[in-house]
Amino acid sequence: MLRSLCAPVAALAAAPAAAQAPENFAGYTPRFEAVRIADNEAPRIDGDLGDAAWSKAAVIDAFYQVEPTEGAAPSQPTRAYVMYDSKHLYVAIYSFDSEPDKITHKLLERDPPIQDDDAVRIIIDSFGTFRDGYFFATNPNGAINDALVENNNTFRDTWNTIWDVKTKIVDDGWIAEFVIPFQSISFDASLDDWGFQIVRTIRRNNEEIRWSNIDRSRGRIDLTNPGRVSGIENVKSGVGLEAQLFVTGSTRYDWETDASDYDLNPSGNIFYKITPSLTGSLTFNTDFSDAPLDERQVNTGRFSLFFPETRDFFLQDAAVFEFGGRIFSGQPNGMPFFSRRIGIVDGRPVDIVAGAKLSGKLGPASIGTVAARTGSSDGIDGQFLSAARISLPMLSESKAGLIFTHGDPSGGASNTVAGADFQYKNSTAWPGTFTADLAYQRSFDDSEDDGMATAHFAYRSQRWNWNARAQTIGENYKPRLGFVNRAGVNRTNGNLWRAWRPQNSLIRYAETGVFAGAVSNLDFDVEDRWTGGWAYAQNDLGDDLFVEIERGFTDVTEPFNLAGEVPVPMGPYNYSRQRIEAQLSEARPYYIGVEFEWGRIYEGDTYEIVGEFGLKPSSHFRLVGEYSYTEFSLPGGEIGIHVAALASTIAFTPRMSLKTDIQYDNISENFTFFSRFNWEPRPEQEVFLSFGHSAVIERDDFAHSFRSDASSFAIRLGHTLRL
């Protein structure tokens, strides 16, 4: 009897033999058929593979290096087990390690920078998009990491859902045991094959191991050619109803007026899966008290800054609203829809009385619609705001779609935007991957309407890589629910770089490249022009060095005050910029990074020094600090800009943590302190507490001036019900 119980465990623990590598990975697409188990056979999720059900699971053991040697056998074997029942997907990964005392596991908090530890990742493309997916990962401590992958390059780790994972370090490695409810993801029930990827990293070697997509020119989250899993069928999402119910008690004290406000606010989000691939969502009295602080930025240019979306309701199925492909990657100017415009006006939050969303797939089409009613605030009337997006797959790897928005968050105009895009992709015709993203949008704003057109081309390969972009934005293009900070321009820019991966060298990866670009007004008078080059190198440990030079010209057509203080007159200016950046790998128990930039601008001198440090003395504590000083010495005056930030995390368990952010800059003179305690007693329950304090520290009397502005405290209890 004892022998019969131990036999499955012994079989699971036996290290797999090295897989026979294919001769050519270009068309390599591994497949397996998932094994179904009865609901009463479900394993206990505890990091132990002793449950009999695991002996029935489909087994994956053909893993290959991507770094440091593409296609080589991994330094340590890996074995994965996959099975499912009517409600859950189960994945276990046995990461064998002949030196378990060297396993790196310094992180414990929710959604940590998982790349800094030994880790395993699962990416699921349940719609067959080859672009978008659900990401689940953990490290040997059992840290919980989930995210949305969008368009193969955007990683939204602010998205959270209900799932669980447990891990255990054993004598010959470590084990991770995942359970993912089908109700936590959307999927196309008619799809025969799901895209599926497993990635393991061994941090002490800076080694990356994958099951599929064995191509290091493609990023870790790239789903261009994932493996395939078939046989997942007749699964249940319950009735498909999920209700996230919250009650928040909050208070705010104004130190100047000695006034206090108290509020008790029930709120909630309701999700209903109309089909397994199409979700309807409702929100009421939406509470964003758990949203993190925006990163402190001081604007030293002429155009407004961009802050990313961090709120859960708008991140749910956010991939279906993606528009334009790489057009807006790193260049958000002209985005037709930016969900942050809903509920935030001129940088100030306004209440969302109610909102509704429909997102997912309807047949072959991906669709997303959102509508919200905002409340009145500071003289701004409440507004109805809406957006819709639809896209269809084209050819084998491409898609085309439309987008519409309506409404103005400030109520200043009647605004509608319509756009169309085509995202072409070809990963088979050449050694690398070629993409061509084309888009046109037009805004209709009271009596004015205008458009924007962009074409972006890119090529990624093991050695040569390039980007090219051409864009024109009309003077009166105004996407009130989007983001535009510079209209009335034509822009062209591009870059070209060569990558090297030396063998038997201290350098793991290196690249050198050049870039150039220009911006003109609509009469083709040049307003900005730039050229430059860079070099980058990384060693086996992940330490890196970056050097960049740039020369350019800018024509200031309207005078402005730099950082709001130093006048910059109209006129043409040449400029130069040099930058050196070096950083130790963040996988170390401690790391530091330094950056120095200097040059000429607006007929004066400028330089910037940035320092960053991180401490991880144990898995329970992490401290990260950053400080920058930027100085401008211009004919119109001098200014020194200080920006400081300190972030600490105390992780008691993977589901209980205290995070604190402190920020200050001497231009706004604002000091902010924000501390958040999160505890999930169970995956569907939440206890959240926050404390914030803001103050003014006058730059001329920094050592003695600290004037409190306001303090706030909130407690939120949440529970998710699923039917």
Side-chain angles (χ1 to χ4, degrees):
M1 179 67 176
L2 180 62
R3 179 176 298 175
S4 65
L5 290 174
C6 293
V9 180
L12 291 172
Q20 181 66 41
E23 295 182 2
N24 183 2
F25 282 104
Y28 177 66
T29 306
R31 298 174 178 271
F32 74 93
E33 184 169 351
V35 173
R36 183 168 187 140
I37 60 172
D39 289 0
N40 60 9
E41 294 181 290
R44 181 181 179 184
I45 304 303
D46 55 6
D48 188 330
L49 301 185
D51 299 273
W54 286 117
S55 64
K56 300 181 179 182
V59 179
I60 300 171
D61 56 14
F63 290 85
Y64 302 95
Q65 278 190 32
V66 175
E67 294 288 352
T69 305
E70 184 181 289
S75 65
Q76 306 288 343
T78 305
R79 176 177 283 162
Y81 307 87
V82 184
M83 59 188 181
Y84 73 101
D85 61 21
S86 66
K87 296 181 180 179
H88 304 90
L89 176 68
Y90 302 95
V91 181
I93 302 175
Y94 204 128
S95 300
F96 293 91
D97 200 312
S98 58
E99 299 177 289
D101 57 316
K102 294 184 179 180
I103 293 173
T104 304
H105 51 107
K106 288 288 187 181
L107 300 166
L108 188 63
E109 70 211 68
R110 180 72 186 252
D111 291 327
I114 204 81
Q115 68 274 10
D116 298 335
D117 266 358
D118 279 46
V120 290
R121 303 160 181 84
I122 301 167
I123 309 175
I124 302 170
D125 178 9
S126 51
F127 287 111
T129 64
F130 302 101
R131 296 169 179 267
D132 309 319
Y134 297 98
F135 175 98
F136 302 92
T138 191
N139 67 352
N141 291 332
I144 297 167
N145 194 241
D146 46 11
L148 297 175
V149 174
E150 297 176 14
N151 213 34
N152 288 328
N153 57 25
T154 301
F155 185 76
R156 295 187 182 271
D157 62 353
T158 46
W159 173 80
N160 293 326
T161 192
I162 294 176
W163 64 289
D164 204 6
V165 64
K166 292 292 187 293
T167 60
K168 182 180 291 186
I169 297 178
V170 293
D171 290 341
D172 58 349
W174 64 283
I175 300 168
E177 199 174 10
F178 296 77
V179 55
I180 302 168
F182 290 116
Q183 198 166 351
S184 292
I185 62 176
S186 298
F187 55 90
D188 185 348
S190 66
L191 203 64
D192 293 330
D193 294 341
W194 289 11
F196 198 78
Q197 173 67 303
I198 298 175
V199 180
R200 177 188 177 188
T201 49
I202 304 174
R203 199 59 192 87
R204 66 181 181 272
N205 302 335
N206 202 10
E207 181 177 349
E208 181 172 332
I209 302 161
R210 299 182 191 173
W211 174 54
S212 62
N213 226 359
I214 314 302
D215 183 340
R216 57 189 173 192
S217 70
R218 298 171 184 163
R220 187 176 295 158
I221 61 172
D222 194 304
L223 288 164
T224 293
N225 186 29
R228 311 288 199 275
V229 53
S230 60
I232 299 178
E233 55 189 14
N234 299 321
V235 297
K236 301 175 182 177
S237 297
V239 176
L241 183 64
E242 176 178 314
Q244 299 174 345
L245 305 177
F246 306 98
V247 59
T248 303
S250 61
T251 181
R252 185 180 186 276
Y253 177 72
D254 190 311
W255 288 84
E256 292 189 4
T257 63
D258 195 27
S260 299
D261 292 325
Y262 302 93
D263 191 24
L264 185 65
N265 183 41
S267 61
N269 303 317
I270 298 175
F271 303 95
Y272 177 65
K273 288 188 179 296
I274 302 167
T275 70
S277 60
L278 187 64
T279 302
S281 312
L282 295 173
T283 185
F284 59 92
N285 287 342
T286 315
D287 180 68
F288 297 125
S289 58
D290 60 341
L293 289 177
D294 289 324
E295 182 180 349
R296 184 64 59 93
Q297 300 181 64
V298 174
N299 193 345
T300 59
R302 294 172 283 165
F303 312 109
S304 56
L305 301 175
F306 180 82
F307 294 89
E309 178 63 89
T310 59
R311 300 169 297 172
D312 286 342
F313 177 78
F314 294 105
L315 292 173
Q316 182 74 26
D317 287 341
V320 299
F321 291 93
E322 182 275 329
F323 177 86
R326 293 180 180 270
I327 286 174
F328 300 108
S329 178
Q331 294 285 348
N333 185 30
M335 288 175 62
F337 177 59
F338 179 37
S339 61
R340 190 181 168 94
R341 294 294 191 213
I342 301 176
I344 299 177
V345 180
D346 296 330
R348 302 190 308 273
V350 298
D351 292 336
I352 296 180
V353 177
K357 186 164 62 169
L358 183 68
S359 56
K361 291 198 74 171
L362 188 61
S366 295
I367 64 172
T369 64
V370 61
R373 169 68 181 185
T374 60
S376 301
S377 177
D378 296 332
I380 298 174
D381 293 334
Q383 301 293 318
F384 285 101
L385 308 170
S386 59
R389 164 74 164 150
I390 183 170
S391 62
L392 286 164
M394 306 284 289
L395 306 176
S396 59
E397 300 178 85
S398 307
K399 69 176 183 179
L402 303 171
I403 194 167
F404 301 93
T405 74
H406 182 74
D408 179 358
S410 68
S414 175
N415 184 265
T416 299
V417 172
D421 70 331
F422 176 60
Q423 301 177 29
Y424 175 77
K425 181 178 182 181
N426 192 322
S427 63
T428 59
W430 300 279
T433 300
F434 173 76
T435 59
D437 297 315
L438 310 173
Y440 178 78
Q441 306 101 257
R442 194 165 189 87
S443 67
F444 304 88
D445 196 273
D446 291 336
S447 61
E448 299 176 335
D449 62 271
D450 215 333
M452 168 183 170
T454 310
H456 183 281
F457 306 95
Y459 180 74
R460 297 288 183 272
S461 75
Q462 300 278 13
R463 296 184 178 181
W464 290 102
N465 303 267
W466 55 266
N467 290 285
R469 181 197 311 257
Q471 183 178 77
T472 182
I473 304 178
E475 186 72 41
N476 295 309
Y477 174 66
K478 298 174 181 177
R480 305 282 184 173
L481 270 180
F483 179 85
V484 62
N485 61 359
R486 191 175 186 183
V489 295
N490 298 307
R491 178 188 178 100
T492 56
N493 64 282
N495 55 32
L496 170 69
W497 73 94
R498 170 70 155 85
W500 285 270
R501 292 176 171 85
Q503 299 295 318
N504 302 317
S505 170
L506 293 176
I507 302 299
R508 165 72 64 87
Y509 173 83
E511 67 181 35
T512 58
V514 294
F515 58 87
V519 175
S520 71
N521 61 24
L522 298 180
D523 292 325
F524 296 97
D525 300 319
V526 175
E527 295 183 353
D528 294 283
R529 182 180 62 245
W530 62 92
T531 58
W534 79 90
Y536 170 80
Q538 184 185 78
N539 65 11
D540 280 338
L541 295 176
D543 307 323
D544 49 35
L545 177 68
F546 180 81
V547 178
E548 183 181 43
I549 60 171
E550 182 179 336
R551 299 290 184 268
F553 162 86
T554 186
D555 186 8
V556 177
T557 56
E558 295 183 6
F560 73 101
N561 290 333
L562 190 148
E565 298 191 18
V566 178
V568 177
M570 293 174 53
Y573 299 93
N574 293 316
Y575 71 88
S576 63
R577 184 175 66 87
Q578 297 78 225
R579 180 158 69 105
I580 298 176
E581 182 179 346
Q583 182 168 313
L584 297 177
S585 169
E586 295 185 18
R588 299 175 184 269
Y590 63 89
Y591 69 88
I592 59 172
V594 293
E595 177 185 333
F596 182 51
E597 182 176 311
W598 71 101
R600 296 270 303 169
I601 187 70
Y602 306 131
E603 297 185 350
D605 296 318
T606 180
Y607 71 89
E608 179 180 41
I609 300 174
V610 179
E612 181 182 1
F613 73 89
L615 298 175
K616 291 179 287 185
S618 77
S619 60
H620 295 283
F621 181 72
R622 183 162 65 100
L623 182 69
V624 177
E626 184 173 337
Y627 168 77
S628 68
Y629 176 73
T630 307
E631 183 173 293
F632 292 90
S633 298
L634 307 182
E638 297 184 358
I639 190 171
I641 302 169
H642 300 264
V643 180
L646 187 67
S648 69
T649 300
I650 301 173
F652 305 99
T653 73
R655 294 189 181 272
M656 182 190 294
S657 64
L658 176 66
K659 295 187 177 184
T660 302
D661 295 292
I662 301 172
Q663 298 181 359
Y664 171 76
D665 75 85
N666 69 322
I667 301 302
S668 69
E669 300 183 336
N670 286 334
F671 168 90
T672 54
F673 174 98
F674 187 50
S675 191
R676 297 166 290 154
F677 173 80
N678 282 90
W679 177 34
E680 297 177 30
R682 299 174 60 186
E684 66 272 15
Q685 297 175 346
E686 176 204 58
V687 178
F688 171 79
L689 293 88
S690 69
F691 173 74
H693 186 80
S694 60
V696 174
I697 304 178
E698 296 178 2
R699 77 179 79 168
D700 296 331
D701 193 15
F702 184 87
H704 303 96
S705 171
F706 185 94
R707 188 173 70 254
S708 293
D709 180 26
S711 297
S712 62
F713 175 78
I715 179 169
R716 187 176 79 181
L717 304 178
H719 189 85
T720 299
L721 301 174
R722 284 183 164 179
L723 299 176

